[in-house]
Amino acid sequence: MRRFLRENSLSLFFLVIFLAALVGQALTGHSEYNHEQVAHGEATISLGRYVTSSSFGRAVMENWQSEYLQFMLFMLATVWLLQRGSPESKPPGKEGREDEREQKIGRHAYSDSPLWARTGGVRTAIYSNSLLIVMSIIFFGSWFAQSLTGWTDYNQQQMEHHEATVSWLGYVGTSSFWESTFQNWQSEFLAVGSFAVLAVFLRQRGSPESKPVGARHEATGEEG
Amino acid sequence: LGIRVSAMRAMLVIWSGLIVTGLVYYSIVGLTHH
């Protein structure tokens, strides 16, 4: 049990703080929602009703989609693009998808490599992009879920204000949908871009996300 | 080694389950106008 906790501590730690933050969002979001309801002379709702509402779902989904977009784009961009000196970048000259030997696929795979890395053909082609494929599915899935919950939430507000409701396609064309989308995207791109540059010059001793403390600023793709 | 692999797979199942549940659940919430 102790070994299980230690060997999975990174994902377990994030699982615990994810759930804690989600509970925090639910409690504070519920309080905020009911304040608004009272201010507008509308009925308040229970916590259970709030967490199963489009209002809460929209808030959760719009943050999810931007995180997955960030990871997806970063993973894809670092195949071809470089930042000299960054631990997250490949060194100049290594741009691109690399050959089968470097990627240990097909006849260059080890005997205990994943099966789909060994077989070659379509299966290896799929497995070679599987992380990107799944991250994209989660990104588009959560963006779609944001659009559905946002649509319902938007129409509920329209009805409260005695204004016309819109179709899903109509909602996807509103500035409301795009504002909440860009609001989340800009912060992700800022964080990723600045991290790539800050990590050229700054260090965190012991972290694989950083270069070793004594590494030269020019050293690229060297992880701690 | 078998136990370690299954622990890693358990983590995969937990995280995938969370994500899929969230996506599907809130898609349905939005679609059914809750």
Side-chain angles (χ1 to χ4, degrees):
Chain A
M1 189 63 190
R2 276 183 63 153
R3 200 175 79 177
F4 169 80
L5 291 177
R6 200 183 98 210
E7 292 186 349
N8 298 282
S9 52
L10 184 63
S11 44
L12 288 171
F13 168 69
F14 278 99
L15 183 65
V16 169
I17 63 170
F18 161 68
L19 293 173
L22 193 63
V23 168
Q25 185 189 345
L27 294 175
T28 50
H30 175 233
S31 165
E32 171 68 15
Y33 187 91
N34 278 344
H35 272 125
E36 292 276 314
Q37 291 293 97
V38 170
H40 293 119
E42 309 261 350
T44 58
I45 59 171
S46 69
L47 178 62
R49 177 68 194 91
Y50 176 68
V51 297
T52 57
S53 72
S54 283
S55 177
F56 180 69
R58 188 189 93 129
V60 174
M61 291 299 113
E62 70 181 41
N63 282 277
W64 281 26
Q65 58 90 353
S66 64
E67 299 303 329
Y68 284 94
L69 174 68
Q70 173 210 308
F71 272 102
M72 191 186 99
L73 277 186
F74 195 54
M75 190 166 56
L76 196 60
T78 50
V79 175
W80 291 282
L81 307 180
L82 306 175
Q83 175 52 60
R84 191 176 157 86
S86 178
E88 304 291 340
S89 168
K90 297 199 277 189
K94 294 273 282 176
E95 298 98 320
R97 290 164 48 80
E98 306 180 9
D99 61 28
E100 297 207 339
R101 186 181 49 81
E102 287 170 297
Q103 287 292 315
K104 302 174 180 67
I105 51 179
R107 60 193 178 86
H108 301 283
Y110 305 124
S111 58
D112 58 352
S113 286
L115 175 66
W116 282 37
R118 282 183 272 138
T119 51
V122 180
R123 281 189 288 181
T124 298
I126 293 172
Y127 190 60
S128 298
N129 299 288
S130 51
L131 195 50
L132 179 72
I133 293 168
V134 169
M135 299 293 272
S136 324
I137 292 172
I138 301 174
F139 161 61
F140 286 111
S142 45
W143 200 17
F144 180 62
Q146 178 198 335
S147 76
L148 292 172
T149 47
W151 171 47
T152 290
D153 191 38
Y154 182 85
N155 278 342
Q156 279 169 359
Q157 289 182 20
Q158 290 292 95
M159 284 192 283
E160 281 171 20
H161 299 137
H162 307 290
E163 292 185 66
T165 58
V166 295
S167 65
W168 174 77
L169 216 56
Y171 173 69
V172 167
T174 61
S175 46
S176 170
F177 174 69
W178 286 99
E179 195 252 354
S180 54
T181 294
F182 285 129
Q183 178 193 334
N184 284 279
W185 286 3
Q186 57 86 9
S187 60
E188 304 302 332
F189 302 157
L190 172 77
V192 167
S194 59
F195 181 78
V197 171
L198 290 172
V200 174
F201 302 101
L202 307 177
R203 309 283 185 270
Q204 177 51 57
R205 182 171 176 166
S207 176
E209 302 304 318
S210 164
K211 298 194 281 191
V213 181
R216 287 173 297 110
H217 293 329
E218 293 76 23
T220 310
E222 220 182 276
E223 302 206 340
Chain B
L1 187 72
I3 295 166
R4 284 192 198 187
V5 169
S6 66
M8 281 151 54
R9 284 191 197 280
M11 300 314 297
L12 179 67
V13 169
I14 291 170
W15 283 101
S16 316
L18 259 173
I19 295 163
V20 171
T21 304
L23 294 188
V24 172
Y25 181 74
Y26 284 113
S27 294
I28 294 169
V29 164
L31 262 178
T32 54
H33 305 295
H34 275 81

